[in-house]
Amino acid sequence: MDSRDTAALERFCAEHRIPVRRRPDIWGDLLEPFLDTWFDDRHHTATLDRLARGGVGCDEAVRIRRRVGPLMAAYNSLHWDWCHLGLADLLAAAASDHVPAELRVPPQDRAAFRAWAMEIADRPVRTDTA
């Protein structure tokens, strides 16, 4: 989005009293190990520090990554993304026909899965007045 688009979006939000949310990309950091790239120890430490500041401690990050790891590894084995995986990718993977059925989130469980993922994403919310 260029600066004109950003300015237009901010005006629209202000006119319609839509709060602007700024938050770190928690899922981008949580899904980093499933990218098709390599990071050194210093980078991993910085990622864990960002997660902790966002409300996800090291032990919880490990548990989350274990839960979504097989799903995201299968998903990214098709995309070979080396730059970014985030919440949208996680939710797409959960229902993707390109992921083995045993790794997908069953349709009846997707609302709960989405709510769980959103709760994690929403932890570091900060409301700005726009």
Side-chain angles (χ1 to χ4, degrees):
M1 196 175 335
D2 72 22
S3 61
R4 290 174 300 181
D5 294 334
T6 300
L9 179 60
E10 288 173 349
R11 276 192 309 278
F12 178 86
C13 289
E15 289 169 14
H16 297 281
R17 296 186 181 143
I18 299 169
V20 174
R21 307 272 191 225
R22 302 212 192 277
R23 67 183 107 211
D25 185 4
I26 295 294
W27 279 105
D29 285 334
L30 284 168
L31 299 179
E32 192 175 81
F34 311 108
L35 292 170
D36 183 37
T37 194
W38 177 87
F39 296 105
D40 63 19
D41 289 340
R42 199 167 103 206
H43 183 93
H44 287 297
T45 299
T47 299
L48 290 173
D49 288 345
R50 281 192 308 275
L51 284 168
R53 287 192 307 273
V56 178
C58 187
D59 291 341
E60 185 180 15
V62 168
R63 286 192 305 276
I64 292 168
R65 287 170 171 168
R66 279 190 193 132
R67 178 177 179 181
V68 301
L71 173 68
M72 293 312 297
Y75 176 80
N76 205 36
S77 72
L78 299 171
H79 298 280
W80 296 89
D81 197 326
W82 57 272
C83 184
H84 180 266
L85 292 169
L87 177 60
D89 296 294
L90 175 67
L91 298 176
S96 176
D97 289 339
H98 301 291
V99 171
E102 66 272 11
L103 298 177
R104 283 182 241 148
V105 177
Q108 67 273 17
D109 296 339
R110 288 185 190 146
F113 183 79
R114 179 181 169 79
W116 169 76
M118 289 303 300
E119 182 276 322
I120 293 166
D122 283 341
R123 287 183 192 179
V125 167
R126 185 181 90 235
T127 304
D128 292 338
T129 53

